[in-house]
Amino acid sequence: MKQYIVRRIGYCLLSLFLLSLTIFFFVRVTGDPATLLVEPGASPDDIAAIHHQFGLDRPLLVQYGLFMASVLTGDLGQSFYYRTSVFELYWSRLPYSVMLATAAMAFSLLLGIPSGILAAVRVGRFWDSAGKVFALLGLSLPSFWVGLVLILVFSVYLGWLPSSGSGTPLHLIMPAFALGWYFAASHMRLTRSSMLEVLGSEYVKLARLKGLPQALVIGKHAFKNALIPVLTLAGINFVIMISVAVVVETVFAWPGVGRLLYEGVAFRDFPVVQGTVLMLGAMTVTVNLIVDILYAVIDPRIRLAS
Amino acid sequence: MESPASGGTNTKLTRREVLAAAAAASLAAGAPRAAFAAAPAGQLTYGVHVSLAAGWLDPAETQGIITPFMVLYALHDAMVKPMPGKAEAPCLAESWSSSADGLTHDFVIRKGAKFHNGEPVTAEDVKFSYERYRGTSHELMKENLGSIETPDPQHVRFKLKKAWPDFLNFYSNASGAGWIVPKKYVEKVGEDGFKQAPIGAGPYKFVSFNPGVELVLEAFEGYWRKPPSVKRLVMKVIPDEATRLAALTRGEVDLAYSIRGELAEELQKTPGLTLKPVVLQAPNWLYFPEQWDPKSPWHDLRVRQAANLAIDREGMSQALFLGYCKITNSIVPYTFDLFWQPPAAVYDPAKAKKLMAEAGFANGFDAGMLYCDSSYSNMAEIALNNLGEVGIRAKLEPIERAGFYAGYSNKKYTKGIIQGASGAFGNAATRLAAFVVKGGAFAYGNYPEIDALYPQQADELDHDKRASILGKMQQLVHEKAIYAPIWQLGFLNGVGPRVGESSFDRIPGFAYTAPFEDLTIKS
């Protein structure tokens, strides 16, 4: 078991090293950040001074070496645009992303799972069709459009909710809905198909033959088993919600990690992009490591096979 | 908030209070407006279109873009800076003089000017701020500087190595070197500490900052010009334009920067909201890089003149910016020192076609690509149609902003047409140096008669004579139709019903609200 864990940690470190290498060189392909920090017409001296200030005039390998040396000491560098520590920027934004993702996930599960069950139980009837329409709308309506419509209705016309920003639970409602809407549709579809599969299985048929009430068959025997793939998807979606809620965060001026990453890309802020991607990568790798270890604890065949 | 003048319930004055009142009255004699101004009250909230950066809180970091001045004008103050009605207005310097040989510049620091921590602004702070400056043009400013002398706390003397006619322009306008920070405080808290809790000499003091999210400022009642009327300013970043308008409509913000196109039209129609257009010091233009190639149609002056006549600038401005762009017919901003006003731009497609025929292009010609910054491709589309109507056929090639300007300055677009722009600081000389004169970063070719005039103006200390030389250079740029200038961009903003004085468009060419101490809330 110890050897298994050490090996897994080794893979994780290798993954992070490859990620750092990839993001470091890829972000530099996007262009010169100095051109975005000055007005067109700025003197070549000013451009050169910016290159020097940010160390962009050094060979790429030297830049990478310095970057990695800083990372190993827990320093993700200074943002070109914000002129502040990337580490501090990231940690100031992460709680907002987690908060938004949690609310959006709760909304998507509360909406997606019951509607998926209803559609599966009433297959081919009104609720099933209504569920299909909901899924179609959820997956096809772009989140920026949903967000703007929500702002127009609930902020401008009705005046019930603040249009943007953060700070109170009211600020969270519309962004969570706009972000969770898409995921609710995908959770609904998976719940429906998973439930249909389980409802057709032998043990559910047996439960019915035994004369168990419909609610018990669905609630106890079918739903529990149908939930496993849904929760697996929800776990993956949660990480996605934290990392890439760029559009929703921009529309609602929500200060999350996704917006930080987007701004980093838009401003060619190499340290922000490198730092944010690396932190998100570390988060994903850590979650995977924990899952791998739990699998090994639960199922000895996995660690033996490894 | 209850002002001291309102009295409250305490009517008995102690001896100490009487002495304090007398001292306050004697101080007020030097600043009569401050003495009788009401105490700052209320809050105004901004919906800001760009992410606020920590670097903007420190004048030493000023890059050559206008955006940081959105914050600098509130938090800091400069020795000399553009103010309403004056491009070089005395601020922390109450006066200055230059020697006849242009080598020495003396500044007298304003009595009573102080930082937010109560420390007076001194000559040492001025020297420190100049030497600490590391933003745009700092190499140039360092190269030209011989020494800075501080004979006493109220006087500063800049001694230059050689006469530099643009010294004051760069010190007051085109850099952040003249914006003063407290030496003792910066040395005490360090560079990072200063960015986290900056102290300036501006009308508003720092309260809190969340990078990219929100900046909170509070009125500094000791500001030399006058105490601000509004107690608290909150600058909230709202990146999406439609959301900014929604926030303005709902009253969540009182001022919203950058509301364009159809949203601006909606803003105009919304009761209680006011559209505040500002003309930026950022001209847009078309440039013909093939004009130095004798085989190219663009080599013929008549073709370039035809292109100038083909562009419907007014129509374009109406369609895209509700008519709020300023058509100056120059690549030099009209607010720049030494600007020469060319004849008004003319839209005359019939005459353009005639010129094309005279040049041997009655059936037009294929002009290749029209390269532009993709964020202004809507302008380029209209220009393309206008040119097409007189027979100049081109295809649009929008390129992402950084890539476009890198290609433009690296002289990649040698064929076709370039739609360019510049909001860089400076004056007519610096603009021509970058875009017209031989060796300019954005000049694809040159004209010897213009080049010959450039060194003459660079050594000329007499402002009028220099203006005359630069006027001649600008006239030649116009006559040779090197460019087809389009306009100076209109920057559209929204103001909510609570705002009295918004301070928009008080300083020509400045995009944002300033002076901040003039902001008011309607009673």
Side-chain angles (χ1 to χ4, degrees), chain B residues 227-244:
Chain B
S229 155
V230 181
K231 176 81 174 166
R232 201 175 170 89
L233 299 181
V234 178
M235 294 186 181
K236 280 186 180 176
V237 177
I238 305 178
D240 186 79
E241 208 166 6
T243 313
R244 274 200 303 284

Side-chain angles (χ1 to χ4, degrees), chain B residues 19-270:
Chain B
L19 286 172
S26 66
L27 278 176
R33 281 170 299 180
F36 301 106
Q43 173 178 310
L44 284 180
T45 306
Y46 286 73
V48 179
H49 59 307
V50 289
S51 273
L52 298 164
W56 301 356
L57 307 179
D58 185 351
E61 305 270 358
T62 310
Q63 296 299 345
I65 51 174
I66 194 81
T67 331
F69 288 89
M70 176 205 299
V71 176
L72 289 179
Y73 260 91
L75 199 56
H76 295 281
D77 205 353
M79 295 286 275
V80 182
K81 69 178 190 282
M83 286 290 275
K86 219 164 189 184
E88 288 168 354
C91 290
L92 293 178
E94 62 184 15
S95 64
W96 63 89
S97 58
S98 303
S99 63
D101 60 6
L103 290 172
T104 308
H105 300 268
D106 287 299
F107 291 84
V108 180
I109 296 169
R110 184 178 297 280
K111 278 182 186 156
K114 55 189 174 184
F115 293 110
H116 301 152
N117 60 0
E119 298 273 337
V121 176
T122 67
E124 278 302 318
D125 298 312
V126 176
K127 183 181 179 198
F128 174 75
S129 301
Y130 192 101
E131 288 170 347
R132 178 176 174 264
Y133 179 67
R134 50 185 174 266
T136 190
S137 305
H138 84 279
E139 284 294 336
L140 182 69
M141 303 190 78
K142 214 166 82 181
E143 275 169 24
N144 285 316
L145 180 71
S147 63
I148 303 175
E149 293 173 3
T150 53
D152 65 65
Q154 295 299 121
H155 292 85
V156 189
R157 172 170 292 174
F158 291 83
K159 285 190 166 176
L160 306 184
K161 285 179 188 161
K162 58 177 183 180
W164 183 27
D166 286 335
F167 170 75
L168 195 60
N169 182 271
F170 273 81
Y171 191 56
S172 66
N173 199 342
S175 80
W179 292 72
I180 310 305
V181 296
K183 181 185 175 194
K184 282 182 200 162
Y185 178 73
V186 176
E187 287 177 342
K188 187 179 151 198
V189 299
E191 294 292 333
D192 287 340
F194 184 71
K195 278 197 199 75
Q196 281 167 16
I199 282 180
Y204 280 85
K205 54 189 177 186
F206 177 85
V207 174
S208 66
F209 179 53
N210 187 351
V213 181
E214 186 180 87
L215 172 67
V216 181
L217 303 167
E218 198 171 274
F220 174 49
E221 295 188 47
Y223 186 56
W224 66 268
R225 188 167 170 253
K226 65 177 183 184
S229 155
V230 181
K231 176 81 174 166
R232 201 175 170 89
L233 299 181
V234 178
M235 294 186 181
K236 280 186 180 176
V237 177
I238 305 178
D240 186 79
E241 208 166 6
T243 313
R244 274 200 303 284
L245 179 58
L248 185 69
T249 309
R250 256 179 64 78
E252 290 170 15
V253 301
D254 300 293
L255 303 110
Y257 287 131
S258 186
I259 306 283
R260 295 169 297 176
E262 288 169 3
L263 290 174
E265 277 185 57
E266 195 183 319
L267 192 156
Q268 262 184 328
K269 288 177 200 159
T270 308

Side-chain angles (χ1 to χ4, degrees), chain B residues 367-495:
Chain B
M369 310 304 279
L370 195 162
Y371 301 96
C372 72
D373 167 359
S374 56
S375 46
Y376 291 108
S377 56
N378 53 358
M379 277 175 59
E381 279 171 20
I382 297 177
L384 209 68
N385 288 339
N386 287 165
L387 293 174
E389 281 167 22
V390 301
I392 302 171
R393 296 177 293 273
K395 286 180 186 165
L396 191 61
E397 180 74 10
I399 300 161
E400 186 274 332
R401 185 179 170 86
F404 169 72
Y405 280 107
Y408 190 0
S409 63
N410 290 331
K411 319 268 167 75
K412 265 178 68 181
Y413 314 131
T414 51
K415 301 281 178 193
I417 306 166
I418 301 169
Q419 181 185 280
S422 176
F425 296 116
N427 56 20
T430 58
R431 180 56 53 96
L432 294 176
F435 290 93
V436 176
V437 175
K438 188 178 182 182
F442 294 85
Y444 279 61
N446 61 296
Y447 289 92
E449 56 269 52
I450 299 176
D451 294 346
L453 291 168
Y454 187 73
Q456 291 177 28
Q457 64 79 33
D459 296 330
E460 183 56 67
L461 292 174
D462 183 301
H463 187 272
D464 292 342
K465 285 182 186 165
R466 195 169 177 229
S468 166
I469 300 168
L470 282 159
K472 179 70 185 162
M473 289 175 75
Q474 290 171 80
Q475 190 179 346
L476 285 168
V477 172
H478 167 72
E479 286 169 0
K480 290 180 180 299
I482 300 175
Y483 287 88
I486 300 176
W487 59 37
Q488 279 186 227
L489 201 66
F491 184 65
L492 309 183
N493 309 286
V495 172

Side-chain angles (χ1 to χ4, degrees), chain A residues 195-265:
Chain A
M195 277 293 285
L196 283 175
E197 196 182 323
V198 172
L199 287 172
S201 66
E202 295 298 321
Y203 73 91
V204 170
K205 285 179 189 165
L206 181 66
R208 282 186 172 142
L209 284 172
K210 280 164 71 181
L212 288 178
Q214 173 79 340
L216 200 64
V217 172
I218 290 166
K220 190 177 174 186
H221 296 282
F223 175 61
K224 265 188 179 173
N225 286 307
L227 200 58
I228 293 167
V230 179
L231 289 183
T232 307
L233 178 71
I236 296 164
N237 282 345
F238 187 72
V239 177
I240 293 172
M241 283 175 173
I242 288 177
S243 329
V244 294
V246 178
V247 174
V248 169
E249 287 180 3
T250 303
V251 168
F252 291 100
W254 187 264
V257 172
R259 206 175 103 198
L260 181 67
L261 182 58
Y262 166 76
E263 287 164 352
V265 172

Side-chain angles (χ1 to χ4, degrees), chain B residues 341-356:
Chain B
Q341 179 60 63
V346 177
Y347 171 53
D348 191 342
K351 194 175 172 188
K353 281 180 189 166
K354 194 167 164 256
L355 282 170
M356 288 284 285

